[in-house]
């Protein structure tokens, strides 16, 4: 099993690239760990803790989108993408991350979701299917379409 | 960047900072401490699920509050027991001074901090209700409760003001609407619980409710006045939020119907149907692009649904009944009354200034001023509107 630190970073990254809001992303990741704790404290077994955490986080993000409309690219530009200067991130990296955010924000939510899990979280179609509750086949098809859309957007930009 | 597989290499540099990890760890520890049944169970679970690795000694320095959490976590559920404490109980200071403060300290976003402050305020009202129900709401408790009530209400009002000044009008309107809902629902609950001291406490709650209502109306008008794009985004966001709330309360109502019976939940059902009807009106406003009006309607639908839930919970706990129609007639009257009060305050200030001016002139100039002071009536007006 991986340490808390490794899971926290990966989960945070996933949430950040779905919400584009650093503070809110931290809140949801914290909530995900708390909910995992609640589940485990009731004596329930979890086979794959990584997938379990991602599933909880995914559901929290879906709830967040239910309460608040996802930001469009225009709204995101107006709000300002808060790439915080971090010890691991130089100016060039920050620009590259902004480009990625701009690309992903142009995707429809269902494609953005699988593209984030596939290319940012490096999850397999099987793992994504387990997290979203969809069939592996549906997930694979959606990943292919999302990939094509991303390539088209990259060529345009 | 022309290869999708390179995305991971770039984005993996987005991580939590060292301080953020410590803070998040503290939040999770606090939650575990507040929700652990026993020291033995907690330790067993933490050992088993070592991925939590929450007590990693490599992380230094550890903030002071984490030290407190460790003590609480190993003290056999003190933190958990404190959660049900009421004013006057031994563990009440732990509930308010430690549990709630730690919870506040580990919230990240401004929204979650504001929501926690609103929840803390609501906890004060719930405590008043429980004490009143147990016939323990005496004059000493009332005085302390009024003090706490003001402190926590001011925190919420400050959060609303901060959102406003940072241009987050929608967040301000959201918080103010939730604040008003709390006050409205709990005022109704307290009204149903008998007690001389409760009767003395109620005017404070009502006054705050009136202010909250005025503030909410003002913020809704501001949202309405925003650019079309912003007003549309606010209306659509609120539409989703209200829909989600109605669904949540409907599921809750079904559960409670099984426990309390159809008759006991009939009032809640009626409120929820009203919320649904108002939501539909909001949807029609969106269709004709009247986003400001839609936003206000969705807020109202959200408030009514939330209030339905709070009143059903009170019914379950205290066995009291509420009538749906009371609220609708009183809202406009409350607003009108509050506006008149504010106008009356402005007039009082004007009159006081005249009197003070006279006194100052008399005090400053002694005998000579006395004769001048007596002759002067019309000095200076502080309009202050």
């Amino acid at each position: 099993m991986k340490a808390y630190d490794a899971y926290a970073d990966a989960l945070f990254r996933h949430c950040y690239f779905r919400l584009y809001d650093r503070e809110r992303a931290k809140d949801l990741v914290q909530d995900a760990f708390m909910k995992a704790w609640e589940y485990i404290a009731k004596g329930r077994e979890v086979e794959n803790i990584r997938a379990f955490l991602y599933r909880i986080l995914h559901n929290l993000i879906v709830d967040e989108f239910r309460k608040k409309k996802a930001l469009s690219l225009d709204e995101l530009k107006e709000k300002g993408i808060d790439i915080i200067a971090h010890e691991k991130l130089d100016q060039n990296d920050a620009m590259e991350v902004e480009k990625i955010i701009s690309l992903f924000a142009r995707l429809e939510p269902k494609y953005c979701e699988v593209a984030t899990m596939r290319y940012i979280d490096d999850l397999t179609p099987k793992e994504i299917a387990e997290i979203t509750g969809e069939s592996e086949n549906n997930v694979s098809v959606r990943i292919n379409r999302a990939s094509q859309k991303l390539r088209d957007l990259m060529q345009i930009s | 960047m022309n290869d999708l597989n390179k995305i991971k290499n770039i984005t993996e540099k987005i991580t939590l900072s060292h301080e953020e990890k410590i803070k998040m760890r503290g939040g999770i520890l606090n939650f575990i401490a507040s929700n652990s049944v026993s020291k033995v169970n907690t330790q067993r679970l933490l050992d088993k699920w070592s991925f939590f690795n929450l007590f990693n000694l490599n992380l230094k320095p550890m903030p002071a509050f984490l030290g407190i959490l460790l003590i609480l976590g190993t003290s056999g559920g003190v933190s958990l027991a404190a959660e049900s404490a009421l004013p006057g109980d031994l563990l009440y200071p732990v509930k308010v001074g430690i549990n709630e403060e730690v919870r506040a300290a580990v919230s990240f976003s401004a929204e979650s901090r504001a929501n926690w402050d609103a929840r803390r305020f609501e906890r004060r009202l719930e405590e008043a209700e429980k004490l009143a129900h147990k016939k323990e709401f005496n004059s000493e408790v009332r005085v302390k409760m009024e003090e706490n009530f003001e402190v926590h209400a001011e925190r919420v009002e400050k959060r609303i003001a901060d959102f406003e000044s940072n241009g987050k009008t929608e967040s301000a309107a959201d918080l103010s609407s939730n604040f008003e809902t709390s006050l409205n629902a709990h005022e109704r609950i307290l009204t149903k619980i008998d007690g001389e001291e409760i009767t003395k406490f109620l005017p404070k709650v009502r006054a705050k409710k009136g202010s909250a209502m005025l503030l909410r109306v003002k913020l809704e008008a501001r949202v309405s006045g925003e650019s079309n794009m912003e007003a549309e985004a606010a209306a659509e966001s609120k539409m989703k939020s209200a829909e989600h709330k109605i669904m949540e309360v409907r599921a809750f109502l079904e559960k409670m119907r099984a426990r309390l019976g159809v008759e006991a939940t009939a009032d809640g059902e009626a409120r929820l149907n009203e919320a649904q009807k108002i939501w539909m009106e909001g949807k029609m406003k969106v269709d004709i692009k009247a986003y400001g009006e839609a936003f206000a309607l969705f807020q109202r639908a959200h408030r009514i649904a939330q209030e339905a839930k709070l009143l059903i919970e009170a019914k379950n706990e205290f066995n009291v009944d509420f009538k749906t129609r009371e609220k609708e007639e009183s809202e406009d009257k409350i607003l009108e009354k509050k506006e008149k009060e504010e106008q009356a305050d402005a007039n009082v200030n004007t009159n006081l200034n005249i009197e003070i001016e006279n006194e100052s002139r008399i005090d400053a100039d002694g005998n000579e001023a006395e004769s001048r002071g007596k002759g002067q009536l019309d000095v200076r007006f502080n309009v202050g509107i």
Side-chain angles (χ1 to χ4, degrees):
Chain A
M1 289 189 198
K2 292 183 182 178
Y4 158 77
D5 287 341
Y7 285 128
D9 273 330
L11 291 168
F12 165 71
R13 193 159 39 245
H14 171 81
C15 202
Y16 178 76
F17 281 98
R18 298 282 301 279
L19 301 179
Y20 309 125
D21 184 331
R22 192 179 183 87
E23 300 306 308
R24 200 71 195 117
K26 287 187 284 187
D27 277 330
L28 293 196
V29 170
Q30 187 169 256
D31 286 350
F33 275 102
M34 289 177 190
K35 283 184 181 298
W37 170 262
E38 270 185 314
Y39 187 86
I40 290 161
K42 285 174 186 168
R44 293 170 181 160
E45 291 291 330
V46 174
E47 272 182 30
N48 182 343
I49 194 66
R50 185 181 176 224
F52 183 59
L53 284 164
Y54 266 104
R55 189 160 61 241
I56 296 173
L57 186 61
H58 170 75
N59 290 338
L60 287 171
I61 293 169
V62 167
D63 276 349
E64 187 80 358
F65 285 146
R66 275 201 196 113
K67 291 175 205 170
K68 263 185 183 183
K69 201 167 76 85
L71 292 175
S72 68
L73 185 58
D74 287 335
E75 286 162 337
L76 206 57
K77 281 178 180 167
E78 209 179 294
K79 180 189 166 216
I81 301 165
D82 60 340
I83 308 286
I84 294 170
H86 193 272
E87 62 263 24
K88 290 181 189 170
L89 214 61
D90 59 32
Q91 200 176 10
N92 198 47
D93 288 339
M95 276 171 57
E96 291 292 306
V97 169
E98 277 195 36
K99 271 188 214 167
I100 290 167
I101 289 176
S102 296
L103 282 173
F104 276 59
R106 284 188 170 95
L107 295 175
E108 287 168 48
K110 60 181 181 180
Y111 294 126
C112 182
E113 182 182 284
V114 292
T116 304
M117 291 192 208
R118 178 71 190 87
Y119 295 111
I120 293 174
D121 304 321
D122 200 27
L123 296 167
T124 64
K126 187 179 175 192
E127 286 172 325
I128 296 171
E130 198 185 330
I131 290 164
T132 59
E134 298 198 68
S135 71
E136 202 177 324
N137 187 56
N138 277 357
V139 167
S140 296
V141 166
R142 208 171 288 166
I143 288 172
N144 283 339
R145 288 183 184 159
S147 307
Q148 190 53 54
K149 285 182 187 291
L150 278 173
R151 288 195 187 95
D152 292 342
L153 288 168
M154 279 181 203
Q155 283 193 343
I156 293 166
S157 62
Chain B
M1 183 193 55
N2 53 13
D3 184 352
L4 294 178
N5 294 320
K6 285 182 184 167
I7 290 174
K8 180 176 174 296
N9 295 339
I10 296 164
T11 57
E12 69 186 0
K13 292 167 187 174
I14 298 290
T15 61
L16 292 162
S17 69
H18 180 78
E19 292 73 24
E20 285 170 335
K21 274 190 198 150
I22 292 178
K23 190 174 173 183
M24 190 181 294
R25 188 182 296 255
I28 296 164
L29 271 177
N30 176 52
F31 180 79
I32 290 171
S34 302
N35 288 277
S36 295
V37 176
S38 74
K39 174 186 168 182
V40 170
N41 278 347
T42 310
Q43 197 55 55
R44 194 188 308 137
L45 286 166
L46 285 172
D47 287 344
K48 186 179 177 189
W49 297 100
S50 59
F51 74 86
F52 269 113
N53 210 16
L54 290 162
F55 299 98
N56 186 339
L57 295 172
N58 289 333
L59 281 179
K60 287 207 167 105
M62 189 181 285
F65 72 77
L66 274 186
I68 293 167
L69 288 175
L70 286 173
I71 292 164
L72 287 174
T74 55
S75 63
V78 168
S79 188
L80 173 63
E83 280 300 293
S84 56
L86 295 174
D89 291 348
L90 194 64
L91 290 178
Y92 189 69
V94 174
K95 176 183 182 181
V96 177
I98 296 178
N99 288 4
E100 289 186 0
E101 289 298 327
V102 169
R103 178 71 181 81
V106 297
S107 296
F108 290 101
S109 64
E111 280 79 7
S112 73
R113 284 195 291 272
N115 287 340
W116 177 238
D117 276 339
R119 180 67 198 120
R120 286 182 84 170
F121 171 73
E122 196 165 39
R123 276 154 74 99
R124 304 292 83 86
L125 293 169
E126 287 167 2
E127 285 160 6
E129 287 155 12
K130 284 174 181 157
L131 283 169
H133 186 66
K134 287 164 73 175
K135 313 280 183 208
E136 290 176 16
F137 196 86
N138 54 38
S139 61
E140 198 184 320
V141 165
R142 176 182 56 80
V143 167
K144 195 70 197 160
M145 189 60 70
E146 283 175 352
E147 222 174 85
N148 286 339
F149 176 85
E150 273 310 319
V151 164
H152 288 287
E154 271 170 26
R155 279 187 187 171
V156 177
E157 285 161 342
K158 185 172 181 311
R159 294 284 180 202
I160 295 169
D162 287 346
F163 279 141
E164 257 197 280
S165 60
N166 290 328
K168 291 181 164 186
T169 316
E170 196 190 326
S171 295
D174 205 32
L175 183 59
S176 117
S177 185
N178 291 340
F179 185 45
E180 185 191 341
T181 305
S182 271
L183 284 158
N184 209 29
H186 290 286
E187 184 231 344
R188 284 166 175 271
I189 295 165
L190 285 165
T191 307
K192 294 288 178 181
I193 302 174
D194 283 331
E196 186 189 334
E197 295 300 326
I198 281 287
T199 310
K200 290 179 187 173
F201 180 56
L202 272 170
K204 248 194 164 28
V205 178
R206 286 184 184 126
K208 198 57 79 176
K209 182 180 90 167
S211 311
M213 204 183 281
L214 260 182
L215 180 59
R216 186 258 304 162
V217 168
K218 179 188 104 178
L219 287 165
E220 281 175 354
R222 198 166 288 177
V223 167
S224 188
E226 282 177 341
S227 73
N228 216 36
M229 197 171 92
E230 284 168 330
E232 183 185 357
E236 289 197 359
S237 188
K238 205 67 202 179
M239 179 170 78
K240 282 190 163 203
S241 168
E243 187 180 27
H244 187 71
K245 175 56 70 175
I246 290 169
M247 278 168 55
E248 175 204 310
V249 177
R250 202 167 285 288
F252 173 76
L253 210 65
E254 276 168 26
K255 220 170 36 175
M256 294 309 282
R257 196 180 299 125
R259 195 188 298 179
L260 301 176
V262 173
E263 205 181 309
T265 53
D267 182 63
E269 189 77 47
R271 280 176 204 275
L272 206 58
N273 289 340
E274 191 191 343
Q276 184 69 50
K277 186 171 146 251
I278 292 168
W279 187 91
M280 292 301 299
E281 286 173 31
K283 183 88 175 41
M284 289 196 292
K285 293 289 181 185
V286 167
D287 292 341
I288 61 168
K289 298 190 189 333
Y291 299 121
E293 288 174 60
F295 180 81
L297 284 165
F298 292 135
Q299 288 238 104
R300 196 165 149 216
H302 192 284
R303 280 198 302 280
I304 294 172
Q306 177 62 8
E307 198 178 301
K309 185 179 177 199
L310 291 173
L311 296 179
I312 297 272
E313 283 173 344
K315 165 81 187 168
N316 185 39
E317 186 152 4
F318 308 122
N319 196 26
V320 289
D321 282 307
F322 307 93
K323 298 276 177 271
T324 313
R325 285 192 186 171
E326 284 165 10
K327 182 201 181 289
E328 279 308 307
E329 283 163 354
S330 68
E331 182 163 326
D332 289 339
K333 279 186 184 166
I334 289 167
L335 275 172
E336 197 185 310
K337 189 180 162 191
K338 196 69 195 168
E339 278 166 353
K340 279 182 182 165
E341 274 173 20
E342 298 216 335
Q343 183 61 42
D345 282 346
N347 291 338
V348 165
N349 283 338
T350 305
N351 295 334
L352 282 173
N353 280 333
I354 295 171
E355 289 163 13
I356 289 165
E357 180 73 10
N358 277 332
E359 282 172 16
S360 298
R361 290 172 72 89
I362 290 165
D363 287 339
D365 296 339
N367 291 334
E368 192 181 349
E370 261 179 20
S371 57
R372 282 169 66 195
K374 279 175 188 172
Q376 294 222 343
L377 294 173
D378 184 13
V379 183
R380 195 167 58 230
F381 286 85
N382 178 14
V383 177
I385 291 168

